[in-house]
Every structure is written in structure tokens, then in C-alpha cells.
Amino acid sequence: MSALSTSSGLDSRKWGVLLVLCGAIFLEGIDVAMLNVALPSIRADLGLSTGDLQWVMSAYVLGYGGFMLLGGRAADLFGRRQMFVFWLTVFLLFSGLGGFATEGWMLIVARFVTGVAAAFMTPAGLSIITTGFAEGPERNKALLLYSGTAAGGFTVGLVAGGLLTAIGWRWVFFAPVALSFVILVAALVFVPKSDRPDRTGKRVDAAGALTVTAALVLIVLAVERAAHAGMAAGLGTLLAGLAFLVAFVVVERRSSEPLVRLGIFRSGSLVRANLAAMLFAAGFFGFQFLVVLYLQELRGWSTLETSFALLVIGVDAILSPTLTPRLVDRFGNAKVIFGGLLLAVLSYGLFLPLGADWSYAAMFPGLIILGLAFSLAYGPLTIVATEGIAEEEQGLAGGLLYTAFQFGAALGLSAVTAVSVAATHGGTPAALLDGYRAGLIVPFAAAVAAAVISAFGLRSRRGALSSGTVRATPDTAAERADVPTSR
């Protein structure tokens, strides 16, 4: 057992580690939220189309999701603290470089590399928690605080993004540099050095990493191109993405040290959690993207007005560490997740008849319900996706969850862009509104699908989803030989 988990309570050292890791996930939340409200200003300054603007967001989440599995594996092989500190440094550097971009492609490249850095940093941080805090109430408490802090980062980012964009959108990229530096120094002080993993006979599955990244990028690109590149081009790109996905599975089955041990998907709770997370993220990010464009480009609201309008979604920063743990203790993760996803369906459904002159009072119910939905779904999904997994594969489990979440985000952004652009005929306000209304169907459908998938968890045997008793154990002798047992 890790040195961090030598006691049942949260001692001062554990609190120090948790604060550092919460600071890192807070940084990611604030980074994404600030960029989200700055998008219209970036479009105006750099002259970007809606498709290019979508890639400013998608480049980050694709770099994040595409390399997350490799990041999780690297944390297990090369040391969680080492990976966390190194890639936090890269995150700091390229976040700042994005502020110097003078062309759209420069900003997209900077965001992609920043996403790659997050892909290595995040599973390392998550696995420090899941291996350093005892499974059960202690770990649940740490994970719910962790997810609540991520929500808090998003909340603060909405306001900070509006304030900074009012000065100049480049400050949205410069500001996280200072916070990154503080977290980096704190990590060197508080996060204990981990034992150097025994890598004898082990290697990084580069072929697996390349094929899965190519698959994710091409599938998202196919969805984004559907609205303007023609059916043949979109279908060809999609088939290429699926071919790389098949190649990834083949590589993993034949590899002695796979990036993803396919036997881990024998856990129904893990699979449900990842699919639900992917669909939930698709709806959440796609919805935000459209609402920001609606408020600023159709309604003429300022970035600061938009920030304060969306601030109510940040109620999850308060509810995640307070209300959600109590609900989980009483009802279990499965029911809480299902309830959160049903609230997401309701939230998006309330926005489907979006009007050209909706008052904030008309938007408020849907926005606050979405904040409640996020608080109920996100933390428990994190718990379910990592419980019952051997300590040596916690990096992989965290990588799978965040891959699903970021791939879903990229897919949602591309889908709402494609549907919205296809439904917008002309540049009139009425045409723009038609496009936004059509695009809002995407998050609604994604939330419905996520709720249906999570409902199957309610039927599993008592405790399988809520208590994490189902383990992702290998089913063949060969697999059992390759996977070390939990300590």
C-alpha cells in the first residue's frame, strides 16, 4: 500500500497532497472555462470561421483525450510524481505560448500541445489519489473534493475569462501561467517521491498510442467535416478512423505490454461509467459552445455578461463536495449518476425552443439544473470508473475515464458545429437562431443516451456499481500472467 494511505484519516500530509492535486484540476477547469467565453473575441481578432473556432477548443480536448491512455500507462511505468511534475511544466509553457499566437493555426497547435500535457498530468494526479487514499469512504471523499474543485475551476474561469477578455483575450492564456508555477512549486514540496517502478521487461506501447490517437482524431474530424466537406469525404474520414480503431484493438491483443489490457473491459461498471462520461461530456461541452455563441453573437452580450450568465452552472462547485457525498452514502453511485443524467436531459430539453429574445429568467432554470446535473454525475462517475481496479492499473483506469470524457467533449463540439452550420442558411439573425436550435438537439440526444446506458447499472446486482465490488479481472491464463495483483 502507498505510504500515503498508512492511516484511515486525512492527516496533514494527505491534505497537502490533495490540495496540490486539486489545484492542478482547478487549473484545467479555469483554463477551459476562460477560453470558452473568449472564443468570440478570438474569432473577431484572428478572423476564424465557426469550424476553425471549434478547433481551438477541439485541439485541446483531442490532445487531451488522444494521449490520455498513454499518459495513464506512463504514470504506472515511469512514476506518478515524475509524470505529474514534468508535464505540469509543459502545460505551463504552452499555455503561455498560446497568448502569442497571431494566426489561427498557431493557437490550435499551442492548444493541442497543452492538451497533450494535460493528458499525462491528469491521470498521474488521479492515480496518486486512487493509490494514496484507502478505497472506500476516504478515497470517495478525496475524489468528490477533487471533482468539486474541478467544477470550482470552471466557475472561477467563467468570471475570470470575462474580466480578462475585456482587457484582451491573450490574457486568458497568460494568466494560468502564474497559477501553474505556484502549483508546480507546491507539488515539489508536498507530493512525496514515489518508488521508482520496476520496468524490467516493460515498455511503452507506442503503436497502440499512435493508432488510438489517429482513430480519435479522424472520427472527430469526420463529424466536423460532415457539414461542409461532402458525404464522401466525411464517410471516408470516418472509415479511416474506424480502421485505426480496429488496428488499435489488434495491436493491443498481440502486445505483451499493451497500452490497454483489453480484459479490463470485462467490468460492466467501468464500461458503463466510461460510455456515460463520454456522452455526458459531449452534451455539456457542445451546449456551452452554442450558448456562448448565442449570447455574444446573436444577442450581443459582452464577454463579462456572458460569464455572469453562465456562472450559475458553477453551483456544482458547492454541491459536489457537500450534497453529492451524502446522496452517494444514502442511495449509491448508480442512482445518483442516473438522477444527474436525467437532470441533464431536462436541462437541455428546456433549451430546445430557444428564442431570439429570451430573457435571462427564461434561461436560468435550464442553467441551474445543468449545474446540479454535473454535481451529481461527474464525481460518482469518477468513483465507479476507478473502484475495484488493481493499484498497478489505476493510471490506466483514470486514463480510460478521461479519454472518454475528452473524446466525448471533442465529439460533442464537432457534432453541434456540424449540425448548426448545416441548419444555418444565410447570415441573418433568424438563420443563426435556426442553426443554434438544431445544434441543441445534439446535447439533448447525448444526455438521453447516457441516461439509458446508466440505467443498466441500476439492474446490476446490489452494490456492483455503487460499492465498486466488481473487479476488472483477467479472464484468461495469459492475461492473469501479465497483470500483477493488487497489494
Side-chain angles (χ1 to χ4, degrees):
M1 185 70 69
S2 170
L4 288 176
S5 56
T6 55
S7 67
S8 58
L10 295 185
D11 56 27
S12 59
R13 170 171 285 190
K14 288 184 179 181
W15 274 114
V17 172
L18 187 58
L19 287 174
V20 169
L21 300 176
C22 285
I25 202 68
F26 177 87
L27 172 66
E28 293 178 34
I30 198 173
D31 181 78
V32 172
M34 289 196 301
L35 177 59
N36 195 37
V37 296
L39 287 175
S41 297
I42 294 172
R43 184 218 287 267
D45 191 28
L46 299 184
L48 304 179
S49 66
T50 300
D52 291 336
L53 192 68
Q54 173 264 136
W55 277 106
V56 173
M57 289 289 289
S58 290
Y60 176 85
V61 294
L62 276 175
Y64 201 155
F67 286 87
M68 183 66 72
L69 294 176
L70 182 59
R73 180 63 173 164
D76 292 334
L77 287 181
F78 300 108
R80 298 176 177 102
R81 181 182 187 269
Q82 293 91 320
M83 289 293 97
F84 180 80
V85 169
F86 176 79
W87 288 102
L88 176 58
T89 305
V90 177
F91 186 97
L92 182 157
L93 293 174
F94 278 86
S95 180
L97 287 175
F100 293 104
T102 56
E103 300 286 344
W105 68 266
M106 296 179 184
L107 184 55
I108 291 171
V109 170
R111 292 303 294 168
F112 181 77
V113 177
T114 306
V116 172
F120 284 84
M121 181 175 71
T122 302
L126 180 61
S127 61
I128 289 172
I129 293 178
T130 56
T131 59
F133 294 80
E135 187 171 335
E138 181 181 285
R139 185 187 296 177
N140 290 352
K141 178 180 180 180
L143 288 174
L144 289 172
L145 285 171
Y146 185 70
S147 60
T149 306
F154 176 78
T155 303
V156 173
L158 288 175
V159 178
L163 292 170
L164 291 172
T165 304
I167 301 172
W169 64 263
R170 296 181 188 279
W171 285 101
V172 166
F173 296 92
F174 296 148
V177 173
L179 180 57
S180 301
F181 182 76
V182 171
I183 296 170
L184 178 60
V185 173
L188 294 173
V189 173
F190 290 107
V191 179
K193 293 182 179 180
S194 53
D195 295 334
R196 196 169 188 84
D198 181 11
R199 300 197 302 271
T200 304
K202 298 180 180 179
R203 62 182 179 83
V204 174
D205 182 11
L210 290 174
T211 50
V212 73
T213 301
L216 298 182
V217 171
L218 287 170
I219 291 172
V220 171
L221 181 61
V223 174
E224 190 273 333
R225 297 181 71 188
H228 56 79
M231 182 175 293
L235 183 60
T237 306
L238 177 61
L239 291 175
L242 294 176
F244 272 106
L245 192 60
V246 172
F248 169 71
V249 174
V250 172
V251 168
E252 299 309 281
R253 289 182 65 87
R254 295 181 177 180
S255 175
S256 59
E257 290 292 334
L259 185 67
V260 177
R261 181 181 63 82
L262 297 181
I264 200 170
F265 295 111
R266 303 287 184 181
S267 169
S269 60
L270 179 144
V271 172
R272 283 191 297 271
N274 279 273
L275 288 176
M278 180 186 73
L279 291 165
F280 182 72
F284 190 76
F285 279 82
F287 174 81
Q288 290 179 67
F289 181 74
L290 286 180
V291 169
V292 167
L293 295 183
Y294 164 76
L295 293 176
Q296 293 193 38
E297 298 193 339
L298 182 62
R299 301 295 300 278
W301 291 24
S302 68
T303 54
L304 194 56
E305 288 173 324
T306 302
S307 297
F308 280 111
L310 297 179
L311 184 61
V312 66
I313 300 176
V315 70
D316 59 347
I318 300 172
L319 298 179
S320 291
T322 55
L323 175 64
T324 305
R326 296 180 181 180
L327 294 177
V328 167
D329 288 341
R330 182 169 182 178
F331 300 107
N333 285 308
K335 291 180 180 178
V336 174
I337 291 169
F338 183 64
L341 294 175
L342 288 181
L343 287 175
V345 173
L346 175 60
S347 171
Y348 301 141
L350 290 174
F351 268 86
L352 290 179
L354 185 68
D357 56 353
W358 266 21
S359 66
Y360 185 63
M363 292 181 273
F364 183 82
L367 294 175
I368 195 168
I369 290 172
L370 181 57
L372 179 58
F374 194 95
S375 68
L376 296 182
Y378 184 66
L381 281 171
T382 305
I383 295 171
V384 171
T386 57
E387 274 192 330
I389 303 299
E391 181 174 317
E392 292 79 6
E393 288 191 316
Q394 283 293 327
L396 170 59
L400 285 171
L401 175 66
Y402 283 108
T403 296
F405 200 82
Q406 297 302 325
F407 175 62
L411 202 59
L413 287 165
S414 295
V416 298
T417 299
V419 173
S420 181
V421 169
T424 302
H425 303 290
T428 66
L432 289 175
L433 182 60
D434 288 341
Y436 296 145
R437 283 175 173 167
L440 286 170
I441 296 174
V442 173
F444 178 76
V448 170
V452 170
I453 289 172
S454 69
F456 285 96
L458 301 174
R459 301 177 57 188
S460 61
R461 70 178 185 273
R462 183 177 179 83
L465 187 58
S466 59
S467 66
T469 56
V470 174
R471 298 186 61 86
T473 53
D475 290 289
T476 66
E479 286 178 318
R480 287 192 293 271
D482 288 337
V483 182
T485 58
S486 177
R487 297 176 188 173

